[in-house]
Amino acid sequence: MQRESDKEAGNRLPPGQKLSAPDRWAIVGEKAPRRSDAPWTISVAGLVAEPQTWSLAELWEMPRVVQIVDIHCVTTWSKLGARFEGVMLAHLLERCRALPEARYVSYVARSERNHSTSLPLSDALELQTLIALTYEGKPLEEIHGGPVRIVTPGRYFYKSLKWLERIDLQAEDRLGYWEAEAGYHNVADPWREQRYIASRLDRKMVQALLERRDLTSHTELLSLDASGRDLAGLNARGVAMRNASFVHCNLENACFDGANLSNAHLEGANLRHASFIAADAEGANFRGADLRNADFTGALLTAATFCQEKMSETSVTPEPEMDSYGPALIDSTTRFPEAALAVLTPIQQQFVKSRLG
Ligand SMILES: Nc1nc2c(c(=O)[nH]1)N[C@H]1C(S)=C(S)[C@@H](COP(=O)(O)O)O[C@H]1N2
Ligand SMILES: [Mo]
């Protein structure tokens, strides 16, 4: 059953996003909570008059609401009309009585790495944040944050914490895991495309690295701008380069094995014989790139782009022609395993399959 008309879908898709297949829900980030024998509890702590801890059973007994939420992942896939049910954040906070000094809310997960994310408290309340217990009428699966996760409508999905264990109210903000570690924008409004903070890379340092064509002395080069360069044979093995730009680069024989190229721009690049073995290229853009003999074995390509993502014919707001890139050059020499194909959006999948022959 299709819940949304295409017209509505068009109006509800923020810039740079594309629709994943209706029956798909990608898994992003941690795959499981920290294992523990302790029963699951949810606590509210910090700047509240009455800190409290509830069991899951107690949470299930609280007044629940249903919310239809459009999910927008920063790696460019969206899933519209997801149906969550749970307890409003506002309800929990009323029961603990937030103090006037509380200006930020930090959600902490039961997680090996103490994963957290945060928002200004006023935003979290305005956005109708939900402590979600079910998805499409069934208890939330563990892989998607069950037994209980945060759902923050109107923000990129990294503001929706999986495996919620604690809510801290604070006077100062505490940057979350992705916001601190991956350069994700701390506001994260998809309608304003707030995906990443600005690059803080030193220009001279970048220049020296690119001249050597070896980036491996660095583990992290967020938003690297290398556009238009001749970087044939580049060694970028294992480097984290989220949001990097390699548009129009000559990257013949380049090695990106194990690199993080999330949301990277590779439009119009020469990537013949380039290697992306076990690279993370979620949301990366390969339009107009030459991918003959490129190797995507073991690569993660969730919502990656190889051709223009057209809206359906009935849509009133087709994706504007934002640039002049044609489809990527892919043929039977491109190594593109089934597993990599499966996570593309339907339009991308169809295109790549047709070219692989
Ligand atoms: N505990 C925890 N919560 C998390 C993450 C994570 O790695 N750990 N990843 C975030 C990101 S980046 C996204 S896009 C969504 C993904 O949720 P999903 O795997 O259910 O699609 O969870 C968010 N919440
Ligand atoms: Mo994400």
Side-chain angles (χ1 to χ4, degrees):
M1 183 196 78
Q2 206 161 1
R3 191 174 294 134
E4 314 300 337
S5 77
D6 285 324
K7 180 179 165 216
E8 281 172 332
N11 292 334
R12 283 165 56 183
L13 206 53
Q17 294 295 113
K18 46 186 158 337
L19 288 177
S20 48
D23 55 343
R24 280 207 166 255
W25 183 3
I27 295 147
V28 187
E30 293 177 292
K31 304 283 181 281
R34 171 171 46 79
R35 294 300 166 198
S36 160
D37 293 331
W40 205 291
T41 56
I42 292 94
S43 305
V44 178
L47 296 172
V48 290
E50 277 180 62
Q52 293 200 47
T53 298
W54 295 283
S55 68
L56 276 179
E58 287 169 326
L59 203 65
W60 275 89
E61 278 159 22
M62 291 183 194
R64 291 201 299 275
V65 298
V66 170
Q67 278 199 41
I68 309 296
V69 175
D70 292 346
I71 296 175
H72 305 300
C73 178
V74 72
T75 60
T76 76
W77 59 264
S78 291
K79 182 173 180 59
L80 303 185
R83 185 173 188 272
F84 292 100
E85 186 179 3
V87 180
M88 298 296 289
L89 171 70
H91 178 78
L92 285 195
L93 297 188
E94 269 164 33
R95 294 182 54 162
C96 300
R97 291 187 292 127
L99 299 174
E101 307 91 272
R103 292 186 51 230
Y104 294 91
V105 58
S106 172
Y107 309 116
V108 184
R110 181 179 279 201
S111 141
E112 220 51 82
R113 64 188 187 201
N114 261 318
H115 191 100
S116 73
T117 191
S118 68
L119 283 110
L121 179 57
S122 54
D123 289 3
L125 293 171
E126 257 167 53
L127 293 164
Q128 310 288 311
T129 300
L130 191 68
I131 320 290
L133 293 162
T134 81
Y135 167 71
E136 300 298 338
K138 296 191 203 83
L140 198 56
E141 286 179 82
E142 181 184 271
I143 191 86
H144 286 300
V148 51
R149 80 177 292 163
I150 292 290
V151 170
T152 304
R155 291 292 180 265
Y156 285 126
F157 209 37
Y158 56 87
K159 293 291 182 184
S160 293
L161 182 109
K162 303 191 271 194
W163 314 297
L164 175 70
E165 211 171 32
R166 198 173 76 246
I167 299 171
D168 285 332
L169 293 196
Q170 301 175 301
E172 310 277 340
D173 196 8
R174 173 171 67 207
L175 223 47
Y177 178 87
W178 294 114
E179 295 87 335
E181 298 293 320
Y184 286 7
H185 199 290
N186 198 27
V187 178
D189 181 348
W191 295 97
R192 291 190 278 166
E193 272 212 90
Q194 292 167 322
R195 299 180 198 271
Y196 294 95
I197 53 167
S199 174
R200 284 174 296 209
L201 297 177
D202 178 82
R203 278 164 178 263
K204 281 190 187 141
M205 181 272 288
V206 167
Q207 177 71 20
L209 288 177
L210 293 175
E211 271 167 18
R212 263 186 278 137
R213 299 192 191 185
D214 189 342
L215 308 179
T216 57
S217 55
H218 284 65
T219 51
E220 159 87 62
L221 292 168
L222 177 73
S223 301
L224 170 79
D225 183 2
S227 52
R229 290 172 180 263
D230 181 2
L231 297 170
L234 178 78
N235 184 4
R237 182 188 292 270
V239 185
M241 290 174 289
R242 288 185 176 81
N243 198 41
S245 175
F246 289 102
V247 298
H248 288 299
C249 281
N250 177 17
L251 287 161
E252 205 164 336
N253 288 308
C255 174
F256 291 103
D257 295 354
N260 190 321
L261 289 166
S262 292
N263 289 5
H265 290 272
L266 294 136
E267 292 98 315
N270 174 8
L271 291 164
R272 294 186 75 170
H273 295 276
S275 178
F276 297 92
I277 296 169
D280 180 349
E282 292 171 80
N285 195 331
F286 293 95
R287 284 176 58 197
D290 188 342
L291 291 169
R292 287 173 292 173
N293 291 292
D295 190 349
F296 289 102
T297 303
L300 188 53
L301 290 165
T302 308
T305 307
F306 297 91
C307 69
Q308 191 177 359
E309 182 83 15
K310 286 186 215 72
M311 293 302 298
S312 77
E313 281 134 47
T314 51
S315 170
V316 289
T317 50
E319 182 178 289
E321 198 67 63
M322 298 206 290
D323 49 54
S324 53
Y325 297 109
L329 188 43
I330 293 174
D331 67 12
S332 59
T333 66
T334 309
R335 297 192 66 177
F336 211 111
E338 273 298 319
L341 268 175
V343 296
L344 301 178
T345 63
I347 291 168
Q348 302 298 322
Q349 211 175 99
Q350 205 181 12
F351 165 75
V352 175
K353 267 188 191 158
S354 74
R355 298 301 158 102
L356 290 172

